[in-house]
Structure formats: structure tokens, C-alpha cells
Amino acid sequence: MLQLRVVQGEGAVYASGSRATRGVVVQVTDETGKPVDGATVSFRLPDQGPSGQFASGQRTEIVTTNAAGQAEVWGMQWGRETGAFEMRITAAMGQVRGSVVCPLYLSAAAVLT
């Protein structure tokens, strides 16, 4: 089983309607704690409620981990609806998988993104 840990972005608050200048970074390791290079990581935003789109205009972005086992997404365009939501992150390497949820929040107030 792959282990995923959010190393940047967990619990971040973004201004609704803004574009993220900082993103979400996940660390993928194997069962021994060794970084997994070349794993496919899917970042998924909700279809309804507070959410946004990735730079591709989609709600799902696929990234491959680097040699340090990290995958990153940024530049999301956030929607106007405010509130808490979750980004679902899943990693796969062959038949082995793992997942984690990253809580985020969209605020009507101006915040640093």
C-alpha cells in the first residue's frame, strides 16, 4: 500500500473567485517509508459546492511523483461559493494504491493565496 501525506496546503484558506498562487503538495512513500518515484497521482476537486478548477479547466489533475516522491498542483481557479471542501488525492504505482483527503476552505474575505 502507498502512504500519502499532504506536506503543503492542508487546511489552506483561499479567497473565493481567486487563482491559487500556492498549491497542494503530497508526499508518496511505500510501506517502508521510501519515496516513490513515478507514481501517478490524481488530485480531485468536488463537482458541487465550494470548489474550483485546475489550470486545465478540469476538476481532476494527474501528476507524476518526482524522485523525492512528491507531486504538486497549483494555479487552481477557485469558484465563488464559500465554505469548506475536500480535495481527494489518490496515488497508484502498478497495482498498489493509496489515498488521502486534503481539507480546504474558500472565504469571502481577502486572504493570501
Side-chain angles (χ1 to χ4, degrees):
M1 180 168 212
L2 296 178
Q3 305 295 317
L4 280 75
R5 181 173 59 91
V6 179
V7 294
Q8 179 181 311
E10 187 168 13
V13 178
Y14 295 96
S16 63
S18 70
R19 181 169 297 279
T21 57
R22 290 183 296 145
V24 174
V25 180
V26 66
Q27 175 76 48
V28 180
T29 56
D30 64 16
E31 64 278 352
T32 67
K34 179 182 172 191
V36 177
D37 184 12
T40 301
V41 182
S42 169
F43 294 84
R44 174 88 178 135
L45 293 168
D47 290 327
Q48 298 177 349
S51 187
Q53 295 179 344
F54 293 102
S56 64
Q58 303 297 313
R59 293 199 192 279
T60 301
E61 188 77 8
I62 307 294
V63 179
T64 303
T65 55
N66 60 22
Q70 293 189 346
E72 174 181 13
V73 292
W74 61 279
M76 291 75 75
Q77 178 63 52
W78 301 117
R80 300 240 176 245
E81 188 171 338
T82 60
F85 66 101
E86 295 177 336
M87 179 185 288
R88 298 190 179 279
I89 307 166
T90 304
M93 185 73 164
Q95 298 296 326
V96 184
R97 297 188 183 283
S99 63
V100 70
V101 173
C102 179
L104 300 167
Y105 190 87
L106 293 181
S107 172
V111 293
L112 292 176
T113 60

